[in-house]
Amino acid sequence: MKSLKLYFKYIRINMLSGLQYKGWWLMILQTLIVVVTDPIGIILLFYRFGSVGEWSVEKILLIYAIAVTSFGLAETFSRGFDYFPWRMIRSGDFDRILLRPCSVFVQVAGSFFHIHRISRVFGGFCAIIWCMLKLDAVFSPLNVLVLIMALIGGYFAYTGVFVMTSGIAFFTIEGLDWIYIFTNASYQVTRCPIDYMPKILRNLFTFFMPMLVISYYPASAICGWGEGYAKGLLALPAGLAFLGFSLYIWRFGVRHYQSTGS
Amino acid sequence: MKKLQSSIPIIRGCFSIFKIKTAEGFQYRMAGLAGASTSIFWGLIEITVYTIFFKYANNREAGLQAGMTLRQIVSYVWLSQLFFLMQPMNIDKDILRKITSGDVAVELCRPLDLYFHWFAKTAASRLTPMFWRGSIILIFAMIMPLSYRLLPPESLTGFFFMILSIFSAFLLCTAYAMFICTVRLNVALGEGPAYILMLIGGILSGAYLPLQLWPDVMQKFLLYQPFAGYLDIPLRLYIGTMSTDSGLFAISLQLCWTVVFIAAGKVLMSFRLKNLIIQGG
């Protein structure tokens, strides 16, 4: 309870300091433009080629939007881990955190907060609603529950990626760019219709990093494309499991931390 | 004549700054390797998506009607992963630090024209990622299985024109990056406007989708707008969807836009420097 209060205090202070810049709303606008223009390639491709079998542009966009929204949530509320390797290990600031008698996890998670990241959540959420309306999905209590569980599960999964990166960063900081495959590049995978997706991609993003479990299966359950609700509800446990695995790596890293900086 | 003679030391100065920065960037081998893995992953996904559309889409002839075969698109994707690296994605760290910390004042004391000094620096930082990261992408693209492989250029003259065009594209990218940099000189605005400008360039360059596959009504506009010169024009010459006659015209178009951006950057910079606020103390 105490750590939760501390976390929100951190977030509040970081948010207020961000608002000091005169152009802060321009940053929100900028991120919103990024979010809106990112799927432009796939939309234009559908415009020229038409649907792929039974895969229409709305179906693809729904899966894509769920993944993007979860990523946005993780980016908004666990930003500290995203920045951790570069901002805290290199400078030696992590030593100071270790000295304080509070949860290390909370202190790192709350260490950065950028208000403009919320526009990714906002844009993604609008896209989800638009696609569901277009696809005539029913907004029944069960469907809404599946969607919310999917987003929370997705938040855990993407936070897991950030935590894992930070854990690995204790051992090597050079060449961490490949982790990009599991963050910004991961939701690009959803542009492939799932029936045609190469097996290796499908397995990687189902059984290792559960990106498809938190996006495709819930979407399929909600709109009735053939996957059942049981698989749709797997999103939350899968996200938690991945976060648990990442926390294990993180703990291992913290135990082996040798101070840097001066 | 006299003016020309006095500009020689400036050119020499800028050239050595370019050389130093290039040598510096050349050292980051591991970062290049890790970065290449992302580019390759990205390229593979793009190719998979295009393959699905060319094989299974309801209107699968649409690509050929737009004038591109699947093999040409595969080459396009790999080369765009490579040349995408020279597009302005961020302002050079060194320059950004100088703007935000107030070190611009120190830079102004140097007997060098500030615009061309930073131009040389920016050019170097656009070029260096292409050494390690770029060559890894290129090698990987050439040894892929046949349906994923980068094909040799359509014709030798096309290849020659592409080299010319890439060189102009490099100047164009740097000129636009410098234009953004002068916009960034106004610190109070923050990073927002600079990133929006970069994003517009990125989208219209063809990196998201080859410009030929965009809607037909936009084709004329897409070819004449400045950002086709970033990526699309050189790649069209490589894969042979643009004849060498129109190639010459397209390259001169690239150079025209370069001159426009340099002029705009210089004017804006001298305007900004007149009422520059120095940060820090």
Side-chain angles (χ1 to χ4, degrees):
Chain A
M1 207 53 228
K2 189 181 145 226
S3 0
L4 212 63
K5 229 166 111 186
L6 180 70
Y7 171 78
F8 282 109
K9 193 158 188 163
Y10 262 115
I11 296 290
R12 206 179 84 90
I13 291 169
N14 277 317
M15 190 172 98
L16 289 178
S17 75
L19 291 178
Q20 295 291 315
Y21 287 89
K22 253 192 281 177
W24 64 269
W25 57 275
L26 270 170
M27 285 300 276
I28 293 192
L29 186 73
Q30 174 239 324
T31 320
L32 202 63
I33 295 178
V34 172
V35 175
V36 174
T37 53
D38 193 47
I40 201 169
I42 193 80
I43 293 173
L44 288 175
L45 213 53
F46 269 106
Y47 176 78
R48 188 171 276 283
F49 284 86
S51 299
V52 181
E54 56 185 30
W55 288 92
S56 63
V57 67
E58 289 93 1
K59 276 184 161 182
I60 294 287
L61 272 184
L62 179 61
I63 302 173
Y64 173 85
I66 295 179
V68 167
T69 313
S70 335
F71 179 66
L73 283 172
E75 228 188 9
T76 312
F77 295 109
S78 312
R79 188 76 177 150
F81 277 105
D82 194 14
Y83 273 18
F84 180 77
W86 291 273
R87 293 287 177 84
M88 280 200 175
I89 290 201
R90 247 188 208 171
S91 62
D93 277 349
F94 189 56
D95 295 25
R96 280 167 43 202
I97 283 183
L98 284 174
L99 285 174
R100 296 177 192 147
C102 292
S103 153
V104 174
F105 186 82
V106 164
Q107 290 188 65
V108 175
S111 58
F112 286 96
F113 178 81
H114 287 155
I115 190 161
H116 57 268
R117 295 290 159 182
I118 206 94
S119 48
R120 182 165 268 144
V121 181
F122 176 74
F125 197 71
C126 290
I128 293 176
I129 302 295
W130 183 81
C131 291
M132 280 176 71
L133 288 175
K134 272 273 178 187
L135 290 165
D136 296 324
V138 193
F139 286 87
S140 67
L142 182 60
N143 279 348
V144 174
L145 180 75
V146 171
L147 183 63
I148 291 174
M149 297 277 262
L151 292 180
I152 298 175
Y155 164 71
F156 284 136
Y158 277 112
T159 302
V161 177
F162 293 149
V163 172
M164 187 187 278
T165 320
S166 306
I168 297 170
F170 284 113
F171 303 100
T172 167
I173 194 147
E174 288 300 321
L176 265 178
D177 280 359
W178 59 267
I179 208 78
Y180 201 66
I181 291 175
F182 294 107
T183 58
N184 293 53
S186 71
Y187 52 80
Q188 301 299 331
V189 174
T190 60
R191 295 189 303 169
C192 302
I194 205 119
D195 307 331
Y196 304 101
M197 194 183 284
K199 265 265 150 49
I200 177 163
L201 271 182
R202 205 175 157 163
N203 290 337
L204 179 69
F205 284 101
T206 307
F207 297 113
F208 178 61
M209 195 276 165
M211 197 273 300
L212 290 173
V213 183
I214 59 109
S215 58
Y216 165 67
Y217 290 102
S220 177
I222 291 171
C223 300
W225 301 334
E227 307 286 350
Y229 279 99
K231 278 186 184 167
L233 283 168
L234 264 181
L236 189 57
L240 274 176
F242 186 69
L243 181 60
F245 173 61
S246 303
L247 277 174
Y248 180 75
I249 295 178
W250 161 256
R251 295 245 164 80
F252 187 76
V254 174
R255 265 209 308 279
H256 290 79
Y257 174 65
Q258 289 162 331
S259 186
T260 52
S262 56
Chain B
M1 197 61 210
K2 205 164 186 190
K3 199 164 177 224
L4 194 73
Q5 264 173 1
S6 68
S7 69
I8 287 176
I10 295 178
I11 293 173
R12 199 180 289 155
C14 289
F15 190 68
S16 35
I17 288 171
F18 177 75
K19 267 202 306 202
I20 292 167
K21 276 281 271 187
T22 309
E24 197 187 302
F26 198 63
Q27 296 170 17
Y28 295 101
R29 235 169 311 177
M30 267 310 284
L33 208 73
S37 65
T38 316
S39 296
I40 290 166
F41 179 76
W42 198 283
L44 288 175
I45 290 180
E46 295 252 296
I47 292 172
T48 313
V49 171
Y50 289 126
T51 312
I52 290 169
F53 273 92
F54 266 82
K55 280 197 181 142
Y56 304 108
N58 296 353
N59 189 8
R60 63 196 72 151
E61 298 301 314
L64 295 177
Q65 279 156 17
M68 281 183 112
T69 63
L70 184 57
R71 306 302 302 278
Q72 282 174 327
I73 289 192
V74 171
S75 301
Y76 192 105
V77 169
W78 285 123
L79 289 175
S80 68
Q81 287 303 320
L82 171 64
F83 294 121
F84 182 68
L85 299 178
M86 64 185 190
Q87 288 188 14
M89 295 307 291
N90 45 26
I91 295 171
D92 182 64
K93 267 196 208 107
D94 217 18
I95 295 178
L96 189 64
R97 211 196 59 234
K98 280 182 177 141
I99 293 174
T100 48
S101 71
D103 278 353
V104 184
V106 181
E107 297 283 272
L108 284 171
C109 297
R110 292 181 210 276
L112 266 179
D113 180 82
L114 186 63
Y115 182 87
F116 287 109
H117 173 188
W118 281 4
F119 192 93
K121 269 195 174 163
T122 308
S125 69
R126 299 285 101 227
L127 186 69
T128 45
M130 300 227 288
F131 285 130
W132 292 114
R133 189 167 167 174
S135 44
I136 294 164
I137 298 171
L138 211 57
I139 291 168
F140 199 84
M142 287 194 280
I143 58 169
M144 287 302 285
L146 195 62
S147 56
Y148 279 79
R149 195 181 299 163
L150 169 69
L151 292 184
E154 187 60 24
S155 65
L156 213 63
T157 43
F159 185 67
F160 173 71
F161 273 93
M162 176 211 141
I163 298 287
L164 272 183
S165 179
I166 279 292
F167 187 69
S168 332
F170 180 65
L171 288 178
L172 178 63
C173 285
T174 313
Y176 190 63
M178 272 309 291
F179 174 69
I180 294 170
C181 203
T182 51
V183 172
R184 188 68 177 83
L185 263 177
N186 186 344
V187 184
L189 282 177
E191 293 179 317
Y195 275 100
I196 293 173
L197 286 172
M198 285 183 225
L199 196 68
I200 294 172
I203 293 167
L204 290 175
S205 71
Y208 285 56
L209 183 74
L211 294 184
Q212 273 174 290
L213 295 181
W214 285 52
D216 291 326
V217 282
M218 294 173 74
Q219 288 302 326
K220 258 244 152 69
F221 159 75
L222 285 172
L223 195 60
Y224 287 104
Q225 49 95 15
F227 308 109
Y230 265 25
L231 193 69
D232 202 63
I233 289 171
L235 297 197
R236 278 191 206 202
L237 288 164
Y238 183 92
I239 61 176
T241 51
M242 183 186 266
S243 68
T244 41
D245 297 342
S246 27
L248 263 183
F249 170 72
I251 291 171
S252 48
L253 201 65
Q254 282 178 306
L255 292 173
C256 275
W257 279 116
T258 310
V259 173
V260 168
F261 283 134
I262 290 180
K266 274 214 79 136
V267 169
L268 193 64
M269 186 175 244
S270 62
F271 176 74
R272 282 259 194 271
L273 288 182
K274 264 184 205 135
N275 37 45
L276 182 76
I277 300 166
I278 299 293
Q279 309 286 315

